[in-house]
Amino acid sequence: MTTITARQRLIDAAVEAFAEKGFTATTTRDIASRAGMSPAAVYVHHDSKESLLFTVSLQGHRAALDVIDRAAESTTDPVDRLRAMVYDFSLWHADNSRVGRIVQYEYHALTPAHRAEVATFRRSIEKTMQDALTDGVGQGVLDVDDVPGTAFSLLSLGVDLVRWFEPGGSRSGQELASLHADLAVRMTSR
Amino acid sequence: MTTITARQRLIDAAVEAFAEKGFTATTTRDIASRAGMSPAAVYVHHDSKESLLFTVSLQGHRAALDVIDRAAESTTDPVDRLRAMVYDFSLWHADNSRVGRIVQYEYHALTPAHRAEVATFRRSIEKTMQDALTDGVGQGVLDVDDVPGTAFSLLSLGVDLVRWFEPGGSRSGQELASLHADLAVRMTSR
DNA sequence: GTCTATAAATTGATAGAC
DNA sequence: GTCTATCAATTTATAGAC
């Protein structure tokens, strides 16, 4: 049995609202009413509006890191692995474009302490991608001049999806992920 | 003789403030005080806070389109042209990351009418990139399966710079633009 | 064209009844 | 754990003096 708590309903409402209007433009009244509650109910389950943002952002960062880490461990062949990592990372951003938008665009709205906490996830994501490129170069399969720059560019393809992607648009997430994976292989293969 | 009008000083202040804190989190008092004026002075020179945003956004869209259009006309060789377009577009986003951030991240804060107006510039930018790829394929020099998707991905590399690029960081704009141009050629060459 | 003062509305968060 | 009512602060924008 899956019980959806009031706390979780507020988190879901916050995701909707923050993704649609941005953190600052979202009022706590808006979040409460999307969750079918009174304005005061927000503060029974969450400390503040920023604390709601942190909860969403932390979950999003965790999920994105998890996706790319699993892909990195799925195989040892450098090309297959890179393809899987780029495909899964881009697909996650398409399938979770609302959370992704909050993760990327509301990063600056976090308190410095909370920002520092999610920053560790960002560094891990970059490191995972860099390590995959470095290993592929070491195995003599990939040809990459600038590993950190190329790693960042590959992640950019996925991240930038959250800026415009909407489910039900002219292109599916799988289609875009597949395109990004193809481009990634061309960018890095010998 | 270059006279900086009060109107322009307010625009400059708005660019600083919007890029730093976002449109909604920026107060008209903040803009006024950055321009060394009283809160009321804003409304002598601009109709509203959104009208200031529109002015900035329109100038930014115009400049970005201008940059990529000039690059597209600089040569007819498909590879050189693509390299120039990606290099200049990415360099513009690094050199103008504050205006670029406003262009990209505050697009939704425009009124529907103003949003429609800048949207025409966005379509022109995409079309310019698509045409360059299509022509390169037609000349038998480039190999691109998915022209609209690849064009969008190439622009993404530049656009995504505004998310994190800061002048004086570990990498220069030229360095990043050069990387993007190299990647673009690898992504599209036969 | 600048200012001070303020209107009118909205905000995040809390108090206290049930 | 929910609500209604409200506080205290802040917001965009305007009025009117100089």
Side-chain angles (χ1 to χ4, degrees), chain B residues 36-58:
Chain B
M37 295 173 179
S38 75
V42 172
Y43 296 92
V44 175
H45 303 282
H46 299 276
D47 288 342
S48 65
K49 192 173 91 160
E50 192 276 340
S51 141
L52 257 168
L53 173 63
F54 176 59
T55 301
V56 172
S57 184
L58 188 62

Side-chain angles (χ1 to χ4, degrees), chain A residues 39-78:
Chain A
V42 172
Y43 296 91
V44 175
H45 302 282
H46 298 276
D47 287 343
S48 66
K49 192 172 89 157
E50 191 276 340
S51 140
L52 256 170
L53 172 63
F54 176 59
T55 300
V56 172
S57 184
L58 187 62
Q59 286 180 1
H61 278 88
R62 257 195 238 286
L65 173 58
D66 192 54
V67 157
I68 202 167
D69 270 352
R70 280 175 200 274
E73 291 162 3
S74 64
T75 172
T76 55
D77 176 75

Side-chain angles (χ1 to χ4, degrees), chain A residues 186, chain B residues 79 82-83 142 154 180-190:
Chain A
R186 291 180 71 159
Chain B
V79 172
L82 182 69
R83 192 182 284 281
L142 300 185
L154 294 174
H180 291 175
D182 287 346
L183 294 175
V185 171
R186 291 180 71 162
M187 278 189 257
T188 58
S189 54
R190 185 161 289 284

Side-chain angles (χ1 to χ4, degrees), chain A residues 58-164:
Chain A
L58 187 62
Q59 286 180 1
H61 278 88
R62 257 195 238 286
L65 173 58
D66 192 54
V67 157
I68 202 167
D69 270 352
R70 280 175 200 274
E73 291 162 3
S74 64
T75 172
T76 55
D77 176 75
V79 173
D80 290 345
R81 183 174 54 194
L82 182 68
R83 191 181 286 280
M85 288 170 73
V86 170
Y87 184 93
D88 289 356
F89 190 74
S90 284
L91 184 59
W92 186 86
H93 281 81
D95 284 346
N96 300 273
S97 58
R98 290 187 315 180
V99 170
R101 208 170 296 149
I102 297 164
V103 162
Q104 299 302 340
Y105 294 1
E106 307 303 345
Y107 179 66
H108 71 283
L110 294 166
T111 62
H114 286 164
R115 210 181 304 136
E117 204 167 331
V118 300
T120 64
F121 287 89
R122 297 182 164 224
R123 281 191 292 272
S124 291
I125 289 170
E126 288 165 35
K127 184 171 188 321
T128 300
M129 186 61 87
Q130 289 183 19
D131 287 351
L133 294 181
T134 301
D135 183 67
V137 171
Q139 290 192 43
V141 179
L142 300 184
D143 172 34
V144 180
D145 271 358
D146 177 351
V147 167
T150 303
F152 218 100
S153 298
L154 293 174
L155 296 172
S156 276
L157 294 178
V159 166
D160 198 51
L161 287 177
V162 307
R163 184 168 55 87
W164 60 274

Side-chain angles (χ1 to χ4, degrees), chain B residues 109-130:
Chain B
L110 293 166
T111 63
H114 286 164
R115 209 180 307 137
E117 204 167 330
V118 301
T120 64
F121 286 89
R122 297 183 163 222
R123 280 191 292 271
S124 291
I125 289 170
E126 288 166 33
K127 183 172 188 321
T128 301
M129 186 61 86
Q130 289 182 19

Side-chain angles (χ1 to χ4, degrees), chain A residues 10-21:
Chain A
L10 286 163
I11 293 172
D12 294 345
V15 168
E16 265 188 53
F18 291 159
E20 193 179 307
K21 317 165 73 167

